[in-house]
Every structure is written in structure tokens, then in C-alpha cells.
């Protein structure tokens, strides 16, 4: 990390908050002090943003650490908080979503519409026998029914598990099996890159090995042909549309499971991150309001992410709806039908806050600043970044060419596990440094520690840890308490290990440096090296595989695989490489496809037999080789280098 890091820390541009924004900001500098004086009391105040049917009698129970309970004894309903209470307050006509389909079709969905649709969907799920506590899998494109389905589950206390529509049938199958879902909600397909892209075939394939799934509810979006299994498959419009639009919500315990979201870990098996209701909703609502400086009456908020990731859960669905805000939701890709689509949408809906990933920004940089320059982006007042470290050049380009050199950029660090934003500037308070996530938010306690767990001095790097429990923290891994303890709470006793490297600069501000474990970040998506390696070796022609994340100018990191073929397939060749890339796509999903596959004769290993990924990364990034003295046979690296002249 050294050279890139010292360049980063020589970054000395500073951007003060705009005076007008600072003067009217939701959160001021005093909040840090107020929150650290009594962290738990701070979160109690934020919890009162929500409607509780019954207030809690204990704010935090940490007696069985690291298993937290927040707002013990409190009762609430997440869907009621996101929908009904806004209607009851007279805001039923307010737009919840300006939805735009990729082909250009649009839908305007008010809070009153949402209340009716969510009630109908809840009634439909009840008719299908879904009970409180049952898991429902959702595998959908970016359409309003995805939000409706999630809220319908929340309303009846059935935890949802949304599987990103870009995941393969195998990945879907594994997730359905792991959380034992009995109902799947999907659609015939969605629009991507100007054409309908199918989802139902993946569901059919997955369910061949999920005998316990009783029903599949299918939303008609593209009208493409679908296979139909009578008795199991039901059209959403047949079942949901005829339901009553009245449904009285039940209130659930604050710790009632809200959802399970799978994410990649360092082993091949994805982890089911469990989020519960009261603490999660409290922190997503507060962070959305505070970090984006939300003014619910006037802001038009847009998180340009997929609902299938935690960013979509927290900042397309639960945060904005809990705050009664109007959001934009877009189905498709940024370059369909032209490379100015996002900017056209911002101008059309008057978007005031945009939240997206650095990989998107770098893509727009590549396409050129003349594209956004054609659109009126003056409505924007805050820009957000998430998913991976934002390099200073992308930050400054974003601020200059999208934000008109006026808007603060908030670089928000968090994870599927943290549920909500954790480390971020505050737009009305922080003097922004391009590339730095800056400081733990009020109510959050973060530290950078060395190998021994001691806080590092300013100017040094180490591991990011969270030192106190926070309301939106994961409660466990679905069905695997021990793995929860081992993965997050064992590396540094009593503290949460995030898996990220970080550095404190001379002012004590935090710069995130990427993962320190076998996890890659490709276009802001988390991928496990081990999972891709297992996918590769599951192919009959592959004997052994090693995967590394190599720096990539657009996607942040890219997947580079080194494979040893079995005897007869040894020569590799373009056809085999293509076959392997497709195999990874069908095992995990197209996002996991290696950018490059290098067929090699041997892999560099330590004397104890561990693959030396660091060296492979050097090769993949065309660097001088690092220290090879612990290699069993350093000529292996020469072999690999030679092979590199014929990349796949
Ligand atoms: C990992 C979590 C949080 C929603 C999207 C990704 C990286 C995330 C930042 C940031 C540097 C970041 C970390 C983290 N990450 N945001 N602002 N700066 N790195 O969620 O899939 O759970 O991935 O993404 O490495 O551990 P996720």
C-alpha cells in the first residue's frame, strides 16, 4: 500500500461546507460532543424519530456480548414506520418514488399508493400461508414491486432475503436453502442495456434443488415467455391485485428479524447477515437524515444502486421511507439509451442529492465531462459516495463536473454488516478531504489499531475496528453464531473487526485503504477470492486455481485468476478461457467473471503450502516481484511471468 498511500496522504485540497448549507444543516458540530457524552442516550433520542407502539425499557443490552439487543421491550412495525404513519400525518399524496424504467416508461408512486400496494401484498402473503418469522426470498429487477414485496414482508414480520438479480441460479439456490425460504418473489425479467433480461429461468433452475419452496409469485414486467409450474407458480397480478387494500399492521419486538442479506466472506460459503428491526431502522433513518442533510419537504433523493445490495435496502428503501422523503428509482444501466441518462434523470426530477459508487464516477470520467455538461444539474446540493475507497481524482471530478464545484461530497464508509453509515463527513460541518471518509459519525466509536490491537498514532496505518456496539449492527450470521463471533469479534478482543485497512492522518482523520482479507471489491461489490476459486475448481478441466484482486482503473479491483489445468486440457487456449469465465458467471454471477484468466503450470506457495497471493497480485498488476524468499521454488514465478505473455 505504501506508494499509493503516501500519494493519497499528500493530498492537500480541502473543501469547506457551503455557508448556506452549513447555516441550515440538520447536524452541527456540537452533535459529536452530545453523542459522545452519552452514546446510548443519543441513539435513544434518534429512536424517537420512529413510531413505537410500545417504548423500550432498556436501550442497550450488551450483557451477552457480542450479541447485542437494542431497545429491549420496544415494539414497532417497520412498514408502518415507512408508509402508514406518513399517510396518517396527511402526506399520502406525497411522492415516495419517481420510478423510471429503462425503456423510458415511468410510474409515480405516492405514500398512499404504497400503503395500498403493501397492504395488498401483505394480504397475499398471508393467503399463501406466510407466517411471522417465515423467510421470503426476493429475486427482482429494480421495479416498484420489489419495494412493495420487501415492505409486505416487514409488515407481517416475515424476514426477507433479497438476492441481487445479477446472481446466478446456483447462488440463488444456496441462499434459499441457507435461510430455508418457502416463498420466492420474482419477475419474468427486467430491462438491461436496452433489452429484456430474464430472471424466471434462474428461479426455475434454483428451485429444482429447493423442494421446500411452495410458491413463486411472479411479477409481469417484460412479458417475455416464461416456463410455468402449475400449482407452484402464481402471477403477482392474479394474487395480489384482488386482495383488500386494508391491512392492520401488527407490532413486533424491536429485535424481530427484519432481513437476511448474504455477503461474501473469506471462505466459499456466503454469510447471511441478520438485521433486526428497531436499531436498524433508527440508524438508517438518522444517518440518512444527518449525513445527506435531508429536508423531507423539498429534497429529491437518489441512491443509484441496486436494491439487491445493502445500499439499496438502507438508502433506497428503509432510510428514505422512514424519513418520508421522495426518491428516484431507476431500473437500468447508465448508458442506455445514451451516456447522459443519469444526468437527464437528475434534470428531469430535480434531484437534490445523489448517492453512488466511485466505480460509476470513474466510468463517467472516462466517457468525458462534456456529457454531464449538457444537462442542468443545478438542483444538486449534496453528493455521496459508497462502496470502495474514492480516489482523490474521482472525488474532485465528481464535485466539479457533477456538483458544479459547489456541493460537498460525503464519502461514506460502512458495510452490509454495519447496516448503516458509520464513518463519513457531515456536509454542513466537515471540511472535506478528497479520498477520506474522515470521522466516525456521532454515536459511533471507531479506531485504527495495530497488529496487537493498540490504537495507532496519527500518521500511521492499521486495521479499522469499531469499539462500541451500534444500533444497526448485524446481530449474528443466520444459523451460525460461532462464525459470527469468530469472523468479527475474535481478531481483536471485544472489538468489531471490519476487515478493512485504514490510516489516521496527522489530524486524526480516517482514510480507508481497502480489504485486508481475501475479499475483493469489484465495482463496489464484495467478492470472495475463495468463492471464485471454488467455482473454478468445480470445473472438470481445472486442477487448481488462485484468484487475486488486481487494481483496475475503472472497477477499483478486477478479478484475475491463475489456473492449473488438468492433464489433457493443459494447453488452455482462448476457448477454454472463455469456457471458464462463463462457468464462473453461471456459478456465481456475471459480476464475478475474471477479467483475466492465466493458465499456468504451477502456483507460488509458501513452505507450509499457502498460495502467495501477494506475488500473484504483483504479477497481475505488472509490478516488480516482491520478496520471494519464502517460496518453495522461486522459479515458479518465472514460469508464471512467461505465461503472462499469452494472457486470456
Ligand atoms: C466493504 C463493504 C456499504 C455498502 C456497499 C458495500 C468497502 C464501503 C467504503 C468507503 C472505502 C468502502 C469496504 C467495506 N467500502 N464503503 N466509503 N471507502 N471502502 O457493502 O458489500 O458489505 O462491502 O466495502 O472494504 O468493508 P459491502
Amino acid at each position: 500500500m505504501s506508494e499509493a498511500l503516501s500519494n493519497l496522504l499528500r493530498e492537500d485540497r480541502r473543501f469547506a461546507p457551503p455557508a448556506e448549507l452549513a447555516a441550515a444543516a440538520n447536524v452541527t458540530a456540537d452533535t459529536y460532543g452530545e453523542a459522545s457524552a452519552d452514546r446510548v442516550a443519543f441513539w435513544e433520542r434518534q429512536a424517537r424519530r420512529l413510531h413505537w407502539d410500545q417504548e423500550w425499557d432498556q436501550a442497550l443490552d450488551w450483557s451477552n456480548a457480542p450479541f447485542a439487543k437494542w431497545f429491549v421491550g420496544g415494539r414497532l412495525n417497520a412498514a408502518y414506520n415507512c408508509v402508514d404513519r406518513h399517510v396518517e400525518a396527511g402526506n399520502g399524496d406525497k411522492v415516495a418514488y419517481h420510478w423510471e424504467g429503462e425503456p423510458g416508461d415511468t410510474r409515480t408512486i405516492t405514500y398512499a399508493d404504497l400503503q395500498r400496494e403493501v397492504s395488498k401484498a401483505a394480504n397475499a402473503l398471508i393467503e399463501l400461508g406466510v407466517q411471522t418469522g417465515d423467510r421470503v426470498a426476493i429475486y427482482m429487477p429494480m421495479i416498484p414491486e420489489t419495494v412493495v414485496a420487501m415492505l409486505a414482508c416487514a409488515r407481517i414480520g416475515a424476514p426477507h432475503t433479497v438476492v441481487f438479480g445479477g446472481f446466478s441460479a446456483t447462488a440463488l439456490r444456496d441462499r434459499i436453502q441457507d435461510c430455508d425460504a418457502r416463498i420466492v418473489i420474482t419477475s419474468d425479467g427486467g430491462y438491461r442495456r436496452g433489452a429484456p433480461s430474464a430472471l424466471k429461468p434462474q428461479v426455475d433452475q434454483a428451485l429444482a434443488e429447493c423442494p421446500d419452496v411452495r410458491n413463486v409469485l411472479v411479477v409481469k414486467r417484460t412479458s417475455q415467455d416464461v416456463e410455468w409450474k402449475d400449482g407452484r407458480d402464481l402471477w403477482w397480478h392474479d394474487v395480489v391485485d384482488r386482495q383488500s387494500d386494508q391491512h392492520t399492521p401488527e407490532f413486533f419486538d424491536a429485535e424481530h428479524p427484519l432481513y437476511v442479506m448474504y455477503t461474501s466472506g473469506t471462505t466459499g460459503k456466503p454469510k447471511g447477515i441478520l438485521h433486526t428491526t428497531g436499531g436498524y431502522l433508527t440508524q438508517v433513518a438518522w444517518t440518512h437524515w444527518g449525513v445527506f442533510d435531508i429536508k423531507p419537504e423539498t429534497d429529491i433523493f437518489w441512491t443509484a444502486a441496486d436494491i439487491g445490495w445493502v445500499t439499496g435496502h438502507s438508502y433506497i428503501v428503509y432510510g428514505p421511507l422512514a424519513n418520508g422523503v421522495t426518491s428516484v428509482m431507476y431500473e437500468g444501466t447508465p448508458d442506455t439509451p445514451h451516456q447522459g441518462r443519469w444526468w437527464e434523470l437528475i434534470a428531469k426530477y430535480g434531484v437534490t442529492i445523489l448517492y453512488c459508487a466511485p466505480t460509476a464516477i470513474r466510468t463517467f470520467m472516462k466517457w468525458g465531462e462534456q456529457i454531464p455538461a449538457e444537462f442542468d444539474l443545478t438542483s444538486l446540493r449534496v453528493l455521496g459516495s459508497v462502496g470502495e475507497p474514492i480516489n482523490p481524482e474521482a472525488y474532485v471530478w465528481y464535485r466539479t463536473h457533477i456538483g458544479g464545484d459547489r456541493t460537498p461530497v460525503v464519502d461514506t464508509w460502512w458495510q452490509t454488516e454495519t447496516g448503516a453509515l458509520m464513518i463519513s463527513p457531515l456536509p454542513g460541518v466537515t471540511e472535506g478531504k478528497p479520498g477520506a471518509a474522515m470521522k466516525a459519525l456521532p454515536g459511533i466509536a471507531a479506531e485504527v489499531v495495530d497488529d496487537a490491537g493498540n490504537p495507532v498514532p496519527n500518521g500511521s496505518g492499521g486495521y479499522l475496528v469499531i469499539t462500541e456496539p451500534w444500533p444497526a449492527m448485524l446481530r449474528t450470521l443466520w444459523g451460525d453464531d460461532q462464525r459470527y463471533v469468530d469472523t468479527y469479534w475474535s481478531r481483536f478482543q471485544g472489538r468489531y473487526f471490519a476487515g478493512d485497512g485504514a490510516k489516521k492522518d496527522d489530524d486524526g482523520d480516517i482514510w480507508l485503504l481497502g480489504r485486508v482479507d481475501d475479499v475483493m471489491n469489484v465495482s463496489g461489490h464484495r467478492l470472495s477470492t475463495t468463492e471464485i476459486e471454488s467455482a473454478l475448481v468445480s470445473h472438470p478441466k481445472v486442477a487448481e486455481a488462485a484468484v487475486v484482486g488486481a487494481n483496475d482503473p475503472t472497477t477499483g479491483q478486477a478479478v484475475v485468476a491463475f489456473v492449473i489445468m488438468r492433464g489433457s486440457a493443459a494447453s488452455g487456449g482462448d476457448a477454454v478461457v472463455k469456457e471458464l469465465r462463463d462457468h464462473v458467471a453461471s456459478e456465481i454471477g456475471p459480476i464475478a467473471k475474471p477479467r483475466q484468466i492465466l493458465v499456468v503450470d504451477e502456483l507460488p506457495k509458501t513452505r507450509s503450502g499457502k498460495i502467495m497471493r501477494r506475488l500473484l497480485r504483483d504479477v497481475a498488476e505488472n509490478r516488480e516481484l516482491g520478496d520471494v524468499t519464502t517460496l518453495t521454488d522461486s522459479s515458479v514465478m518465472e514460469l508464471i511471468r512467461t505465461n503472462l505473455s499469452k494472457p486470456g
Side-chain angles (χ1 to χ4, degrees):
M1 69 186 183
S2 50
E3 198 194 331
L5 178 60
S6 42
N7 286 339
L8 208 64
L9 295 178
R10 274 200 294 274
E11 170 61 56
D12 57 6
R13 287 169 284 193
R14 298 287 179 271
F15 298 100
E20 214 181 306
L21 195 153
N26 288 352
V27 184
T28 63
D30 298 342
T31 312
Y32 289 106
E34 288 161 17
S36 57
D38 188 340
R39 227 170 21 81
V40 175
F42 168 80
W43 287 118
E44 286 189 277
R45 287 196 294 282
Q46 307 320 324
R48 296 205 174 87
R49 297 172 175 278
L50 306 176
H51 169 91
W52 295 80
D53 182 56
Q54 187 183 308
E55 227 189 67
W56 55 94
D57 31 56
Q58 189 185 3
L60 169 65
D61 178 359
W62 191 231
S63 59
N64 184 31
F67 299 93
K69 286 188 180 147
W70 281 86
F71 309 117
V72 182
R75 294 183 77 78
L76 77 170
N77 183 297
Y80 177 84
N81 270 286
C82 288
V83 182
D84 304 56
R85 67 172 172 141
H86 305 309
V87 178
E88 288 167 14
N91 290 323
D93 291 338
K94 183 167 181 178
V95 174
Y97 293 103
H98 291 294
W99 176 81
E100 177 118 349
E102 195 186 73
D105 50 335
T106 61
R107 284 163 71 183
T108 306
I109 296 168
T110 65
Y111 277 90
D113 293 335
L114 258 189
Q115 188 183 34
R116 285 187 289 269
E117 293 308 314
V118 171
S119 297
K120 284 197 222 169
N123 287 326
L125 291 177
I126 291 167
E127 182 181 300
L128 295 176
V130 179
Q131 293 179 359
T132 301
D134 289 352
R135 274 79 60 202
V136 174
I138 299 178
Y139 185 65
M140 293 276 263
M142 284 285 290
I143 57 176
E145 284 79 4
T146 311
V147 179
V148 171
M150 289 165 71
L151 293 172
C153 290
R155 196 174 182 94
I156 64 170
H160 52 73
T161 187
V162 180
V163 180
F164 172 56
F167 273 127
S168 67
T170 314
L172 176 62
R173 175 202 68 194
D174 291 347
R175 286 156 178 75
I176 292 172
Q177 287 177 349
D178 190 76
C179 72
D180 193 20
R182 301 301 169 94
I183 301 279
V184 178
I185 305 178
T186 188
S187 81
D188 47 0
Y191 289 93
R192 276 200 89 67
R193 299 187 205 292
S197 141
L199 286 172
K200 181 70 168 44
Q202 284 87 290
V203 175
D204 292 333
Q205 198 186 325
L207 294 194
E209 291 166 81
C210 303
D212 293 333
V213 172
R214 296 191 302 268
N215 289 112
V216 181
L217 257 182
V218 189
V219 177
K220 187 173 268 189
R221 163 69 184 132
T222 59
S223 298
Q224 63 203 103
D225 285 339
V226 288
E227 303 249 321
W228 207 251
K229 188 160 169 189
D230 287 327
R232 185 194 72 184
D233 299 349
L234 303 162
W235 284 111
W236 172 283
H237 56 259
D238 284 341
V239 180
V240 176
D241 288 2
R242 62 176 164 75
Q243 302 290 331
S244 157
D245 62 8
Q246 305 289 312
H247 175 270
T248 308
E250 191 187 324
F251 294 93
F252 300 106
D253 192 277
E255 285 297 337
H256 190 77
L258 181 61
Y259 68 83
V260 180
M261 163 114 271
Y262 285 86
T263 188
S264 296
T266 52
T267 70
K269 189 176 179 306
K271 303 179 288 198
I273 307 295
L274 175 67
H275 284 295
T276 58
T277 310
Y280 173 79
L281 210 57
T282 296
Q283 196 179 332
V284 294
W286 184 78
T287 51
H288 179 250
W289 178 85
V291 174
F292 298 109
D293 191 43
I294 290 289
K295 312 291 187 217
E297 283 73 42
T298 47
D299 275 319
I300 307 288
F301 182 79
W302 183 19
T303 291
D306 196 284
I307 287 182
W309 306 104
V310 76
T311 308
H313 279 50
S314 298
Y315 299 101
I316 298 177
V317 183
Y318 290 109
L321 294 179
N323 289 324
V325 167
T326 298
S327 289
V328 166
M329 183 173 164
Y330 171 56
E331 179 186 32
T333 49
D335 53 352
T336 309
H338 58 80
Q339 294 178 334
R341 186 71 189 269
W342 278 25
W343 321 123
E344 186 178 68
L345 287 173
I346 287 173
K348 175 174 174 183
Y349 294 109
V351 171
T352 56
I353 301 155
L354 173 68
Y355 189 36
C356 69
T359 187
I361 300 162
R362 289 190 297 265
T363 304
F364 298 135
M365 288 171 75
K366 211 163 57 182
W367 292 346
E369 66 217 40
Q370 74 286 355
I371 293 174
E374 285 169 33
F375 298 88
D376 178 4
L377 305 179
T378 52
S379 55
L380 288 169
R381 61 183 201 91
V382 177
L383 299 175
S385 170
V386 60
E388 48 178 321
I390 181 165
N391 45 310
E393 289 330 303
Y395 177 110
V396 172
W397 189 93
Y398 192 28
R399 184 188 151 95
T400 309
H401 297 290
I402 307 305
D405 217 0
R406 222 186 28 257
T407 60
V409 172
V410 289
D411 173 16
T412 63
W413 179 90
W414 59 298
Q415 309 177 294
T416 306
E417 291 87 341
T418 70
L421 311 186
M422 299 290 282
I423 302 179
S424 169
L426 289 170
V429 177
T430 316
E431 179 167 87
K433 300 177 182 176
M438 304 296 292
K439 252 163 99 122
L441 286 170
I444 301 300
E447 186 49 274
V448 180
V449 299
D450 62 19
D451 263 313
N454 301 312
V456 302
N458 288 354
S460 308
Y463 305 98
L464 180 71
V465 295
I466 310 295
T467 57
E468 300 286 348
W470 63 101
M473 65 192 276
L474 75 164
R475 296 305 193 255
T476 188
L477 296 179
W478 185 260
D480 203 342
D481 287 348
Q482 191 56 48
R483 189 176 177 198
Y484 165 70
V485 175
D486 294 345
T487 309
Y488 303 106
W489 299 94
S490 301
R491 176 75 176 79
F492 301 106
Q493 192 58 40
R495 285 161 293 176
Y496 172 87
F497 173 49
D500 279 282
K503 176 136 181 168
K504 290 198 281 198
D505 67 16
D506 291 337
D507 304 321
D509 290 323
I510 297 176
W511 299 65
L512 274 307
L513 302 173
R515 303 289 306 193
V516 294
D517 52 13
D518 291 336
V519 168
M520 289 169 289
N521 191 322
V522 178
S523 300
H525 299 320
R526 196 201 292 197
L527 295 170
S528 141
T529 52
T530 333
E531 206 180 341
I532 301 176
E533 285 166 3
S534 329
L536 284 165
V537 296
S538 75
H539 191 285
K541 290 182 184 158
V542 175
E544 208 177 339
V547 165
V548 297
N551 286 330
D552 184 279
T554 307
T555 58
Q557 285 188 308
V559 181
V560 176
F562 297 82
V563 297
I564 302 175
M565 308 298 284
R566 283 187 196 279
S568 58
S571 63
D574 291 352
V576 176
V577 166
K578 179 175 184 311
E579 195 178 323
L580 295 184
R581 294 182 75 235
D582 291 344
H583 178 70
V584 172
S586 81
E587 283 296 297
I588 303 172
I591 45 166
K593 262 192 186 183
R595 179 187 73 187
Q596 246 178 319
I597 295 183
L598 303 160
V599 177
V600 295
D601 299 324
E602 271 185 86
L603 289 168
K605 288 188 184 152
T606 60
R607 292 190 179 94
S608 62
K610 201 171 171 333
I611 293 174
M612 296 187 76
R613 288 208 179 74
R614 181 176 53 82
L615 291 181
L616 293 175
R617 207 172 301 125
D618 287 344
V619 173
E621 293 173 352
N622 292 314
R623 258 196 311 274
E624 283 303 307
L625 289 186
D627 182 16
V628 293
T629 48
T630 52
L631 268 180
T632 40
D633 172 8
S634 47
S635 66
V636 172
M637 290 312 292
E638 270 324 300
L639 280 172
I640 290 180
R641 278 249 190 244
T642 326
N643 270 287
L644 250 180
S645 51
K646 35 174 178 165

